[in-house]
Amino acid sequence: MLGWGNNQKKRLGDMLLAAKVISEEQLKDVLNLQKSQGKKIGELLISQNYITEEELATFLSKQLNIELVSLRDIKIDDECLQIVSKEIAEKYKIMPFEISQNKLSVAMSDPLNIMAIDDLRIITRKRIIPFIDTLSEIDKSIKKYYSKQDNVQTLHEIEEELKIDYTKSKEEDLVLDDIENAPTVKLANSILVQAIDNKASDIHVEPFEDYVAIRYRVDGVLYENMKIPKSVYQALSTRFKITAGIDIAEKRIPQDGRIEMQLNGIDYDFRVNTLPTIYGEKIVIRILDKRGSLLSIDSLGFNDKDLEEIRNILAVPNGVILVTGPTGSGKTTTLYSFLKEVNTEDKNIVTIEDPVEYTLDRINQVQVNSKAGLSFAAGLRSILRQDPDIIMIGEIRDEETAQIAIRASITGHIVFSTIHTNDAPSTITRLLDMGIKSYLAADALSGIIAQRLIKKLCPHCKEAYLSSEKENKILNLEESQTIYKSNGCNKCNGLGYSGRRAVHEIVRINGPLKKVIEKNGTMDDIREAAIESGMTSLYENCRNLVLKGEISVHELLRTVEVEG
């Protein structure tokens, strides 16, 4: 990590030892590793978990009297990127972040790298002021800021190579060699990589009259990442279509495709959908990180009470367990987590999905194929002849699928599925509206989990204030309390929110609730019985998060319906 000479390496170890940051045994261990691996001592200390990057940076800052800086908190100006090239930044693991007259402030992982400082001084003709930040933060900043600069250069290269005036040339004039040129491939890959680095769930490539917008959906919110000239759009869109296995000659109807790619050592699935618009085909790419299948139910945001209830529901020998909520509320992730919880060697688990989002070990997964006649219902009938213990249906969309699922549970199977309803109690009335007999629904259902994804306030900039009279009414408070609202800072890109968490409403179908269902009780009757049985509503869970300072009132109102 740090470019110390031999004496300096020893000195660093001695300094850390003297300060009791590491032990003698730990120092001996990394010195032995250094002989065999040739790595820097700081890097080895971190890789062996003897010290964190942050602890080492703080220690060096105090010992060397060099100021710490957090690149996460700084918005770096384009002028810094122009004065120091990406190659230099990567070579020396530095990030320029501020220019002031004849001075250039630079974040470094190794502030004693004299060669780096001398080279920067010669290149920039400025006095170099070193600061300390962790190597991981410097790497993130290099990727974040220089990738946008790379895209501008790539766009120029594509325009030069294609030599197309979009207003005068026909799309048919584009040949495959043009689409497969290196700049086009580079731009397409860069868009995918930047989306992953930004933790986006979707990429929107949207053609308009004079430009094309590239937007990313992060934490449920779309924001524009870049604009590209209309002249290069056809090359880019065709590149995406070729990679996804979509017919490039067909532009009149929507099409679906899939890209499988490994980036940064991680396997990703990109689900590609095209939609004809008046200015060209809009492309939306859903990003599926295959590591998502590793989520456990403990990491889904259930509180202790709800987590215990979930495990009680999953322990039943047979029954239908439904997860409900709007599109994009994380239902599939929750289902996969349930499957992981019950996936043991003695279970035969079969799923039918549209699409199969993550591949799971020891689970037989079936992809719906409507063109070939393999619907949810048809696939489910065949699955029942495969001696399953547990069945997962991607979604209950119609009466036929609902009927088969209900009967499968009654004959001794556990059935997981999703359904689109607003909350847990209304799921029961939806099944009854689908034609399921009330006595069958009461007998078959084991549990219902309603779910929403809600944006968390950025912990670095959230602003405290006393709730207003209107907010007291929304939160059912007798007097004003301290709550928080969004503000915006560099760490959250000015959004005021950072990350999302799930909130739930869980109904375990017990004796009293079964009786209400059997008697064709109204939704209000079902809701009342569910609350008496221990259900905490989505509203109550969101309200608790507002009072804890995790979310805003605005986010509560956006997520759940508030009476009155």
Side-chain angles (χ1 to χ4, degrees), residues 132 156 262 506:
I132 295 177
H156 289 319
Q262 189 177 84
I506 300 172

Short mmCIF file of all heavy atoms in Angstrom, two decimals, residues 132 156 262 506:
data_model
loop_
_atom_site.label_atom_id
_atom_site.label_comp_id
_atom_site.label_asym_id
_atom_site.label_seq_id
_atom_site.Cartn_x
_atom_site.Cartn_y
_atom_site.Cartn_z
N ILE A 132 -3.84 12.65 2.94
CA ILE A 132 -3.95 11.20 3.07
C ILE A 132 -5.41 10.77 2.96
O ILE A 132 -6.29 11.34 3.60
CB ILE A 132 -3.38 10.71 4.42
CG1 ILE A 132 -1.87 10.98 4.49
CG2 ILE A 132 -3.64 9.21 4.62
CD1 ILE A 132 -1.25 10.60 5.83
N HIS A 156 -16.11 11.01 -29.14
CA HIS A 156 -15.42 11.67 -30.27
C HIS A 156 -14.83 10.63 -31.22
O HIS A 156 -14.91 10.76 -32.44
CB HIS A 156 -14.30 12.57 -29.75
CG HIS A 156 -14.80 13.81 -29.05
ND1 HIS A 156 -15.86 14.54 -29.53
CD2 HIS A 156 -14.37 14.43 -27.92
CE1 HIS A 156 -16.07 15.57 -28.71
NE2 HIS A 156 -15.19 15.52 -27.72
N GLN A 262 -19.01 -10.88 -16.96
CA GLN A 262 -18.27 -10.81 -15.70
C GLN A 262 -17.54 -9.47 -15.64
O GLN A 262 -16.76 -9.14 -16.53
CB GLN A 262 -17.28 -11.95 -15.57
CG GLN A 262 -16.64 -12.04 -14.19
CD GLN A 262 -15.70 -13.21 -14.02
OE1 GLN A 262 -14.53 -13.13 -14.39
NE2 GLN A 262 -16.21 -14.31 -13.47
N ILE A 506 -46.67 -8.41 8.16
CA ILE A 506 -46.69 -9.87 8.14
C ILE A 506 -47.96 -10.40 8.80
O ILE A 506 -48.30 -10.02 9.92
CB ILE A 506 -45.46 -10.42 8.87
CG1 ILE A 506 -44.18 -9.93 8.17
CG2 ILE A 506 -45.48 -11.95 8.91
CD1 ILE A 506 -42.91 -10.26 8.91
#
